[in-house]
Structure formats: structure tokens, C-alpha cells
Amino acid sequence: MTDKVVVITGGSRGIGRATAIAAAARGFKVVVGYANNVAAADEVLANIEASNGKSIAVKCDVGSEADILALFKAADEFGTLGALVNNAGIVGPSIRVEDMSAERIQRMMAVNVTGSILCAREAVRRMSTRNGGKGGVIVNLSSVAAKLGSPNTYVDYAASKGAVDSFTIGLGHEVAAEGSRVAAIRPGLIDTDIHASGGEPDRAHRLAHMVPMKRVGTSEEIANAIVWLMSDDASYVTSAILDVSGGR
Ligand code: NAP
């Protein structure tokens, strides 16, 4: 058990929500970042409070540096930062690269890549022993798309997750001797709202037959891996990327 603070971006729904609840159950004080859905964030807070956990919700679009600075300021007021889950991520409608606008690609990279790196920057400023911190853990949400490339659907998203993988390896090495670990999870097809936001709510179930386990995964199955990486049970794990994908 810990009494440290964990910041979870996009903690209001899907994988982030499940991670917030699982982290609170392990004693973390949870900062639930959300983009717009106040009702969803409030539901997560109520769920955590019902189990005697502690959490706050902070509106934070990770595409905005000002929002990220405000998120970490709120976390500072809540307690000592011990972990960051870079979970917020977006997809776009399924199209080919030749039809993508610059705005779509820039937004994808701003949220999935720049946002994650800026949040990690803020976490390292607080957690690294080099900066007077007590160490901590950063878990990044990548995707099996980083390996598959997602042709004809969202190559830009896949490329953004490839960047998350490289960033995980590099930052992990950078802070390894400073009390901090960095790891990534590559989820496969997980049953969340993200598929609806890409225009195809049933996508995960439609493609489930391509998964060796022949089923989609749940947010809780990803959250379990994330809280393991955040725990001392994973104390020798850094710069590592873990597929949680039913074998895909
Ligand atoms: P989701 O169900 O769509 O939930 C997205 C969450 O992120 C919500 O809490 C949302 O907040 C928040 N969010 C959206 N845009 C944001 C922004 N610009 N800034 C900050 N927060 C933002 O997503 P999910 O499926 O749980 O995915 C979580 C992560 O796992 C993502 O990085 C995704 O790429 C990755 N992943 C998912 C799958 C999958 O099959 N589901 C597979 C591989 C990887 P609001 O509630 O306020 O909208």
C-alpha cells in the first residue's frame, strides 16, 4: 500500500477509469484528469469514495501545456507525487493517409505524443532524486497499433504510439539511476468508448476473431497490468513495453 499521489490523464472513462479505481484500492490518492466529461469524472470519484479512497478530478486537455501545468499544480496540493499514468489518447475516423488533413495529424500528435511527454516532464521534475524527489513510476499507454501500423484505418495513431514506445525506452534510461521507472503497456482490442469516437462503436468486437484468445479485453485487465507496473513488485522493470493484448 502507498499513500502517494498518482496522476491519471483521461481517468474519467475506459482504461483510465479502471486504473483510477484499481490504484485507489492500493492506497494511491488519485488525480483523475478528464477532458470534458464532468459527469464521468464525478462517477469515478464517487466510486473511489464509496471504497474509502481519496481522489480529486481536474479538467485537463493534454493538448494544452497550460492545462498540464494546472493538473500537476492540483496534484502538488493533494500530496506527494509517486506515479503518472499517461493514459489520455485519441483516435480519428478510419481513413487512408492520403486523405488525412494536417489538423488531424497535428492534433493526434499533440494529444498522444506531446501531451504524454509534457506530463512526464512534470512528473520527472517532481519525482527524480536528481531534482530532490523520492522517485516514482511513469506508465505510458501505447497500443499494439505501434507494431501493426493500422493501415487503412489510422496510421497516424499507430505512429503516435510508436513514438510513445521510443519515448518510454529513452526516458526510462534517462531516469533509471534517479529512483524512477518508466514502462508502457500495449493494449490490444479493449472494449471502451474509444472505438465510437473513431466512428465505429463495434470495432473491437468485429475484430475479436483476429485475436489469438478470440475475445476483446476489458479495461480492468489493462488496469491490473498498470497497477502492477506501479507497484514494488515491478521494482526491476524499466524501459519495458508489455503487450496486454490476448496474444495479438
Ligand atoms: P476512451 O474510452 O476513449 O477514454 C478516453 C479518456 O481520455 C477519457 O477519460 C477522456 O476524457 C480522456 N481524453 C480524451 N481526449 C483527451 C485529451 N485531449 N486530454 C485529456 N484527456 C482526454 O479511451 P480508452 O480506450 O480507455 O483508451 C485509453 C488509452 O489506451 C489511450 O491512450 C488509447 O490510445 C489506449 N489504447 C486503447 C485501446 C482500446 O482498444 N480501447 C487499445 C490500445 C490502446 P472525457 O471523459 O472527459 O472525454
Side-chain angles (χ1 to χ4, degrees):
M1 291 291 269
T2 177
D3 59 356
K4 295 258 181 74
V5 169
V6 57
V7 168
I8 303 174
T9 62
S12 46
R13 290 184 291 118
I15 293 167
R17 173 187 179 278
T19 304
I21 292 166
R26 284 154 182 81
F28 277 99
K29 295 165 72 175
V30 184
V31 178
V32 176
Y34 67 96
N36 293 300
N37 197 330
V38 188
D42 284 345
E43 185 274 333
V44 178
L45 263 54
N47 191 308
I48 290 173
E49 193 179 327
S51 304
N52 297 317
K54 295 192 179 73
S55 59
I56 57 170
V58 181
K59 183 171 162 60
C60 171
D61 177 345
V62 299
S64 155
E65 184 180 17
D67 276 14
I68 289 171
L69 294 178
L71 176 71
F72 280 86
K73 186 165 180 289
D76 290 341
E77 288 161 8
F78 198 35
T80 303
L81 189 72
L84 162 68
V85 182
N86 263 326
N87 168 75
I90 54 170
V91 296
S94 291
I95 53 175
R96 288 168 55 96
V97 170
E98 67 211 48
D99 297 321
M100 287 179 188
S101 67
E103 290 72 22
R104 166 185 163 131
I105 299 166
Q106 281 159 358
R107 177 69 178 160
M108 188 81 70
M109 297 300 163
V111 172
N112 295 3
V113 183
T114 309
S116 294
I117 297 176
L118 288 176
C119 286
R121 180 192 73 186
E122 293 308 306
V124 169
R125 285 177 174 173
R126 288 159 175 80
M127 298 190 310
S128 168
T129 54
R130 183 170 182 264
N131 300 322
K134 294 191 166 68
V137 185
I138 296 172
V139 181
N140 297 321
L141 268 295
S142 175
S143 168
V144 292
K147 297 191 301 181
L148 301 173
S150 305
N152 304 307
T153 50
Y154 27 65
V155 169
D156 52 347
Y157 170 81
S160 77
K161 295 302 186 177
V164 168
D165 284 359
S166 300
F167 166 60
T168 300
I169 295 165
L171 183 64
H173 289 173
E174 200 164 292
V175 299
E178 300 168 12
S180 298
R181 298 186 292 106
V182 185
I185 301 278
R186 283 198 199 111
L189 287 168
I190 311 303
D191 194 11
T192 72
D193 296 343
I194 202 168
H195 308 288
S197 71
E200 198 188 341
D202 200 38
R203 179 173 180 274
H205 290 281
R206 180 174 63 78
L207 298 176
H209 68 278
M210 297 170 74
V211 179
M213 281 189 179
K214 303 294 177 203
R215 68 169 178 87
V216 300
T218 66
S219 293
E220 288 71 24
E221 287 175 311
I222 305 302
N224 287 340
I226 293 171
V227 295
W228 173 72
L229 284 170
M230 282 161 51
S231 78
D232 287 343
D233 288 342
S235 54
Y236 203 48
V237 180
T238 199
S239 291
I241 302 168
L242 176 63
D243 290 356
V244 185
S245 58
R248 191 159 182 241

